[in-house]
Amino acid sequence: MAKVGIRDVSRAAGVSVTTVSHALSETHQARVNPETREHVQQVAARLGYAPNRIAVALRNQRSQLLGFVSDEIASTPFAGELVLGAQDAAYERGWLLMLVDSGRNPELEEKQVNTLLQHQVDGIVIAKMYHQEASVPAAVAGIPAVLLDAFDSEGMLSSVVPDEVGAARTAVQELIDAGHRRIGFINNSDDISAAFGRLEGYRATLAAAGIDFDPDLVTRQAPAVAGGRAGAEELLGLAEPPTALFCFHDRQAFGAYEVAARQGLRIPDDLSVVSIDNFEIIADGLWPGLTSVALPHYEMGRWAVTRLLDEIEHPEEAGEPVHLDFECPIVRRGSVAPPRSNPPGPEVSP
C-alpha cells in the first residue's frame, strides 16, 4: 500500500497543502480556524497519514528524540507506570523515548547520558526509583532536562515528586475519620525524603485532630515485609497497643497482616491498617484488601515529559524551572473500620 502523503490529505479535505501543513503542525495550528483544523485532522486520521519525521526534524532542527535515564526503575514493580506515562506524553506530541537503566552506577549513568547526546536527543528525563535528591550528571548541562521522582538541591532543573506529607495526611486522616486515636506508624529506617515527609504528615494530622504525639507509637524498620513484621510486633506488644497501623508502604503492611493473624487479631475488626504505594499485587491480594494511598507514577511520568517538551518547544513560555509535589489519591479497600471499645491485645499463653 502506498504511503499517504500531505497532498493526499489536501485533495481529500478540499483544502490547500499549506492549510493541511498548518492544521497538522503544533506550531502553526493557530493560523487555521478550529473547524477547518478539526476537519483536516479527521481526514488525516481516516487516511492513516503520518508525518515524515525526518523532514520534520530537519525543519525544526530537532531529532524528535528524548532520553529517559533511570537508576533501577527497569527492575522495580512501578517501572511500567512511570515509563508508560512518559511514553504516552512523548507519543502524543510526536516524539520518541529512548530508555536506558544505569543500575545505580553513577559512572554508567554518565556514559549513558553521553551516548544519548551522541544520538542527538533534544532533552533528557532523569528518573529515580524513589523520591530523593539527585546528583545530575555533568553531561546534562546545556540540554533541557527534568527530574522524575527526584530533585536537585539548587533547583536548577524542573522536577516532580510525590507529595509525601500530603500522602501521609490522607492515610492518617482515613484512620481518624474512622474513629481511631491511638495510631501506630511503621516508618522506613532509611534516611530518605519519603520517611521524613511521611513522619511530618503523620504528626501534623494527629495535631490537627487534637491527638498528642506519642513517640512510642512510631518505629523505624526496614522497608520490607520483614520490617513490617518487626514493627507490628513492637507496636502491638505495647501495654496499650494501637487500634490502627499506618505503614510506610504496602510491603510493610503485608508483614503487619501476618503478625495480626498470628496474634488472633482480625483486620479490620480488631486492627485497622493503611499504607502508601497501592502496589496492587499486594493491596488487592491481601484479605481483606488493603486501603492504600497511591503513588501517582503514571501521572508523574507523563508530567515530566510534558514539562520537558514545553521547555524544548516553547522555552520562553515555560520560563524558570518548576518543582511539583504530585497529589496522591487514596484507594479504599477493606482494611479500615471503627475501633472496638475494648480492643484485644496479643494473645498471651498461660
Side-chain angles (χ1 to χ4, degrees), residues 286-302:
L286 289 170
W287 183 259
L290 174 64
T291 291
S292 186
V293 178
L295 294 179
H297 293 99
Y298 177 87
E299 292 80 4
M300 291 194 302
R302 188 179 183 89

Side-chain angles (χ1 to χ4, degrees), residues 69-70 100-118 124 126 128 135-141:
V69 182
S70 74
V100 295
D101 193 306
S102 70
R104 303 183 74 181
N105 182 330
E107 293 183 4
L108 178 58
E109 182 179 69
E110 189 83 33
K111 291 179 181 178
Q112 289 174 333
V113 169
N114 282 315
T115 299
L116 289 170
L117 293 176
Q118 290 170 10
I124 292 178
I126 299 174
K128 299 298 181 181
S135 297
V136 181
V140 171

